[in-house]
C-alpha cells in the first residue's frame, strides 16, 4: 500500500511530527523511563501471618482491648481451661483505666503488647508523634507487668512506611492478622467459629476483641475444633520467626533461608 497516496507527503510529515511531540511530552511528564523505574517504591509491610510448612500447624490467637472490659476475666478463664496463651494488644488509656485486668492477664501468662496509647490513626501522625504513642503505651504496660512490649498492632489496622520504620528503630514488630473473626459486628457464636476455622492455616494470626458480644461463647467451640484439626496455640512472639527474615507480598513472614521464602 502506498501510504503517500492515502495521506500525501505534507500530511504524513505532520502526523509524524505530532507523534514525536507527544512522545516527548509523555517522557517529560514521567521523567523518562529510567526515572520511572528508579522511583518505584515497594511498600513496607507488617506481619500478617507466619510462613510455615503444611504440617507445622502452629497458630496464634490475639485480642485487641481499646474500650470495654466486660469479658476480660471470662476470656482468661476460657483460655486457662485449655492451657492456651494468647496475645493481648492493649491501648495505653485502657491500661490506665483497668490496671487490675492488665495484672490479671499478665499473671495468667498471656502476652501483653502495644495497641498505641490513645488509639489514633497512626498514619496521620508525624514520626515523633508515632514514637510518643508507642513509647507511652510501652511505659504504662511495663510499669504494671515489668515487661516492655516488643509487638505493636496499629489502631484500625492502619499503617504506613513511616510507622514500620519507627517500630524497627524501637526494635519492635508491626503485627496485623490474616484471620479476622469480625466479632465486633456481633455475628452468632457459630458464625464466628465457622469463619475462623475455615480461614486458619499454619502460621495464622487470628483477631478477636476482648469486649465483643459473642466471643466468649464462640471461643470454646473454635478452640476445640482447631485442636481436633491438629493445631497448636502459641502467643505471637513464639509464632513469628527471629533472625534474618523476609515478608512476601501477602504479609507472610518467612525465614530468609527457607526455600518457600520470596526472593529478596
Amino acid at each position: 500500500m502506498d501510504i503517500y497516496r492515502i495521506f500525501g507527503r505534507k500530511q504524513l510529515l505532520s502526523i509524524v511530527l505530532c507523534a514525536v511531540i507527544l512522545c516527548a511530552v509523555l517522557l517529560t511528564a514521567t521523567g523518562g523511563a529510567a526515572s520511572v523505574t528508579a522511583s518505584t517504591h515497594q511498600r513496607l509491610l507488617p506481619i500478617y501471618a507466619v510462613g510455615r510448612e503444611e504440617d507445622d500447624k502452629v497458630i496464634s490467637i490475639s485480642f485487641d482491648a481499646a474500650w470495654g472490659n466486660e469479658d476480660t476475666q471470662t476470656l482468661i478463664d476460657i483460655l486457662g481451661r485449655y492451657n492456651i496463651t494468647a496475645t493481648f494488644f492493649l491501648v495505653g488509656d485502657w491500661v490506665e483505666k483497668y490496671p487490675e485486668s492488665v495484672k490479671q492477664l499478665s499473671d495468667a501468662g498471656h502476652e501483653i503488647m502495644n495497641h498505641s496509647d490513645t488509639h489514633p490513626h497512626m498514619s496521620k501522625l508525624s514520626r515523633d508523634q508515632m514514637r510518643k504513642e508507642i513509647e507511652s503505651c510501652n511505659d504504662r504496660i511495663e510499669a504494671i507487668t515489668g515487661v516492655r512490649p516488643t509487638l505493636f498492632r496499629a489502631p484500625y489496622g492502619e499503617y504506613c512506611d513511616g510507622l514500620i520504620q519507627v517500630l524497627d528503630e524501637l526494635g519492635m514488630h508491626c503485627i496485623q492478622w490474616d484471620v479476622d473473626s469480625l466479632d465486633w459486628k456481633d455475628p452468632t457464636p457459630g458464625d464466628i467459629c465457622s469463619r475462623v476455622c475455615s480461614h486458619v492455616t499454619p502460621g495464622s494470626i487470628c483477631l478477636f476483641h476482648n469486649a465483643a458480644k459473642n466471643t466468649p461463647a464462640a471461643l470454646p467451640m473454635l478452640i476445640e475444633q482447631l485442636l481436633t484439626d491438629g493445631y497448636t496455640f502459641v502467643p505471637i512472639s513464639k509464632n513469628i520467626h527471629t533472625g534474618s527474615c523476609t515478608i512476601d507480598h501477602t504479609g507472610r513472614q518467612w525465614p530468609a533461608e527457607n526455600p518457600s521464602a520470596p526472593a529478596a
Side-chain angles (χ1 to χ4, degrees):
M1 181 183 294
D2 190 347
I3 196 168
Y4 290 109
R5 290 183 180 179
I6 298 174
F7 296 101
R9 185 179 297 273
K10 289 183 177 180
Q11 206 170 3
L12 182 60
L13 288 173
S14 296
I15 292 172
V16 172
L17 181 60
C18 287
V20 171
I21 293 172
L22 178 60
C23 288
V25 170
L26 289 173
L27 284 172
T28 300
T30 61
S35 176
V36 171
T37 301
S39 64
T40 299
H41 173 68
Q42 185 175 357
R43 187 182 187 190
L44 299 178
L45 291 175
I47 299 172
Y48 280 82
V50 181
R52 293 186 177 275
E53 302 303 325
E54 290 185 7
D55 60 349
D56 190 10
K57 303 181 79 170
V58 172
I59 58 173
S60 298
I61 291 180
S62 65
F63 297 86
D64 288 358
W67 316 119
N69 191 34
E70 298 86 343
D71 301 317
T72 305
Q73 186 57 54
T74 302
L75 296 174
I76 292 173
D77 294 341
I78 294 170
L79 293 168
R81 191 186 314 156
Y82 294 96
N83 197 29
I84 289 173
T85 304
T87 302
F88 285 77
F89 289 94
L90 310 184
V91 169
D93 286 347
W94 193 92
V95 173
E96 186 74 16
K97 192 173 182 180
Y98 304 110
E100 72 287 347
S101 290
V102 179
K103 186 70 164 55
Q104 289 164 355
L105 285 166
S106 179
D107 288 347
H110 298 293
E111 235 175 28
I112 312 300
M113 295 297 175
N114 191 319
H115 194 33
S116 79
D117 202 43
T118 63
H119 208 267
H121 293 273
M122 297 292 289
S123 59
K124 296 183 178 179
L125 304 182
S126 68
R127 292 197 181 203
D128 285 344
Q129 290 171 324
M130 290 178 188
R131 184 180 290 271
K132 182 178 179 180
E133 277 284 330
I134 297 164
E135 291 283 57
S136 293
C137 183
N138 279 348
D139 290 343
R140 286 177 165 181
I141 291 173
E142 186 177 20
I144 296 173
T145 68
V147 180
R148 198 163 188 82
T150 57
L151 306 179
F152 177 84
R153 175 168 285 160
Y156 314 103
E158 294 179 358
Y159 63 90
C160 59
D161 285 358
L163 174 60
I164 295 177
Q165 289 165 348
V166 168
L167 288 167
D168 186 59
E169 292 167 2
L170 294 172
M172 300 177 70
H173 291 290
C174 189
I175 304 294
Q176 295 281 90
W177 58 88
D178 67 318
V179 179
D180 189 348
S181 68
L182 296 179
D183 57 354
W184 59 275
K185 290 187 174 182
D186 295 340
T188 67
D191 286 343
I192 294 174
C193 179
S194 177
R195 177 178 177 82
V196 172
C197 292
S198 64
H199 286 83
V200 161
T201 60
S204 280
I205 296 173
C206 306
L207 170 65
F208 299 90
H209 296 82
N210 75 310
K213 178 181 177 182
N214 291 319
T215 296
L219 198 56
M221 290 192 293
L222 68 88
I223 287 174
E224 290 178 12
Q225 179 61 59
L226 292 171
L227 287 173
T228 298
D229 292 341
Y231 283 97
T232 299
F233 298 83
V234 299
I236 294 174
S237 70
K238 303 298 183 183
N239 189 353
I240 61 176
H241 300 298
T242 58
S244 181
C245 295
T246 185
I247 298 177
D248 67 22
H249 69 282
T250 68
R252 193 170 290 269
Q253 183 210 38
W254 296 90
E257 69 277 6
N258 191 296
S260 299

